[in-house]
Amino acid sequence: MAKSSTISIVTVMLKMKRTLIIGNWKMNLNTSQASILVHRLEERIKNHTNIEVVLAPSMLVLQPLSTQIDRRKFRLAAQNAHQKDEGAYTGEVSFAMLQDIVHYAIIGHSERRIYFHENLDTIRDKVAAAVRNGITPILCVGESQTERNAGETKRVIHDQLVTAISNLTSAEIENMVIAYEPVWAISTFGGILAKPDDIKKVMDYIRHQVSELYGKKTSETVRVIYGGSVDDHIAGGYLDIDGCDGVLVGGASLNYHKFSGIVDAANRIHNKNGDEQNGR
Ligand code: PGA
């Protein structure tokens, strides 16, 4: 192969981000059920260099899974933690306590905002606490059906996003993940299937906001993913969106056929895009 084409392939590969597939198990699976699911996933999911697979089990299960998982295939995420590093907060676990166990933490999920009344300031403090403790935030933003019907999607996304990242530097934002999860599309809250074209508009708006405040490089580097009723049949439609860096999966992540099918879809799309960029 000619040297110049070797260099161009390497350049393209370096430019391509790894696709992020995150399974949010929510309050499901006890320790032995979780262990069985990971075992099944390890059998089915290959060690892909172009895909990062992240599992977010319950707090109780994080520690045992951290010793079970094949770290070449999986990373762990917390579903929540407390914004203070330590203190008299009965029943809570801090990001500081999780720093050797997880790479990521889901913050601002609509179930936390709605059921646990987490407001913009709490979420901002949790994002800062995660970063302070070396954990990458997966910040969830998304409008409700009522807000969407009222034409308030951009305002809601703007407020959730700008407040949450207001204590971060550009470099810290570049390292984080922003998950666009319209509340109406999440299976728990209605599970309406979102059209990829509509999702693209909001994802573009998210990058535009980051660009306005922190510059073009930061907006291009930050990973923006989609979440809401994603399964193995429809994942490809979202993963194919220009600028979509992955998916956050709830219900379907509890089923190893479906979740490994989503990883397969991501792999196909990654390879197809790589071929297109290389003119093959
Ligand atoms: P769902 O959940 O895939 O079951 O809609 C997504 C989420 O809550 O992150």
Side-chain angles (χ1 to χ4, degrees):
M1 189 186 295
K3 195 175 171 201
S4 62
S5 61
T6 310
I7 291 170
S8 73
I9 290 170
V10 170
T11 314
V12 164
M13 285 179 72
L14 284 176
K15 272 192 194 156
M16 280 172 71
K17 293 184 216 165
R18 295 175 82 199
T19 305
L20 204 47
I21 309 293
I22 305 170
N24 177 9
W25 295 357
K26 307 193 179 182
M27 197 174 73
N28 294 293
L29 309 184
N30 64 25
T31 309
S32 55
Q33 290 165 333
S35 173
I36 291 167
L37 178 57
V38 165
H39 185 69
R40 297 260 181 276
L41 291 173
E42 277 181 351
E43 284 174 345
R44 296 183 83 98
I45 293 177
K46 294 195 187 71
N47 184 7
H48 296 293
T49 50
N50 52 7
I51 299 170
E52 188 176 344
V53 183
V54 179
L55 306 175
S58 74
M59 194 67 91
L60 180 69
V61 169
L62 279 172
Q63 174 79 54
L65 278 200
S66 74
T67 59
Q68 181 187 339
I69 53 165
D70 180 342
R71 285 164 189 265
R72 292 164 303 176
K73 291 187 182 176
F74 303 112
R75 286 182 157 174
L76 292 176
Q79 295 177 19
N80 179 40
H82 195 274
Q83 59 272 31
K84 293 277 193 330
D85 286 349
E86 60 184 10
Y89 299 98
T90 301
E92 293 294 313
V93 173
S94 70
F95 290 98
M97 293 167 174
L98 289 168
Q99 59 181 338
D100 295 331
I101 299 176
V102 301
H103 269 86
Y104 292 96
I106 300 172
I107 299 174
H109 191 279
S110 52
E111 288 155 17
R112 302 263 356 141
R113 293 180 195 262
I114 294 166
Y115 299 145
F116 301 98
H117 313 293
E118 290 193 4
N119 62 25
L120 297 181
D121 292 348
T122 310
I123 290 161
R124 175 200 60 210
D125 292 348
K126 288 192 177 199
V127 168
V131 171
R132 181 168 75 238
N133 286 291
I135 295 171
T136 301
I138 300 163
L139 170 70
C140 300
V141 296
E143 80 288 2
S144 67
Q145 180 76 71
T146 313
E147 290 161 342
R148 183 175 192 234
N149 292 345
E152 291 186 343
T153 299
K154 284 189 177 172
R155 181 195 59 76
V156 172
I157 301 296
H158 173 273
D159 292 353
Q160 292 179 347
L161 176 67
V162 171
T163 314
I165 62 178
S166 58
N167 286 339
L168 305 188
T169 64
S170 296
E172 288 164 346
I173 294 167
E174 284 169 25
N175 187 45
M176 72 183 285
V177 179
I178 301 167
Y180 173 48
E181 293 210 310
V183 178
W184 46 269
I186 294 178
S187 58
T188 353
F189 295 119
I192 298 170
L193 284 191
K195 295 194 187 91
D197 284 352
D198 293 338
I199 298 307
K200 179 173 175 9
K201 285 184 197 140
V202 183
M203 288 186 148
D204 288 349
Y205 177 73
I206 289 170
R207 284 197 201 274
H208 174 74
Q209 281 305 312
V210 174
S211 176
E212 292 278 292
L213 293 167
Y214 299 92
K216 193 161 182 282
K217 175 173 170 272
T218 303
S219 76
E220 286 172 352
T221 311
V222 67
R223 286 165 293 171
V224 181
I225 66 173
Y226 173 71
S229 297
V230 175
D231 68 14
D232 48 330
H233 297 297
I234 59 170
Y238 300 117
L239 290 167
D240 229 359
I241 296 171
D242 189 22
C244 177
D245 296 313
V247 284
L248 176 51
V249 185
S253 69
L254 296 167
N255 177 309
Y256 64 91
H257 287 287
K258 292 184 181 176
F259 193 63
S260 58
I262 294 169
V263 176
D264 290 342
N267 193 40
R268 277 196 301 276
I269 286 170
H270 217 283
N271 291 340
K272 181 187 81 160
N273 292 343
D275 283 353
E276 279 169 10
Q277 287 191 34
N278 289 322
R280 276 182 266 158

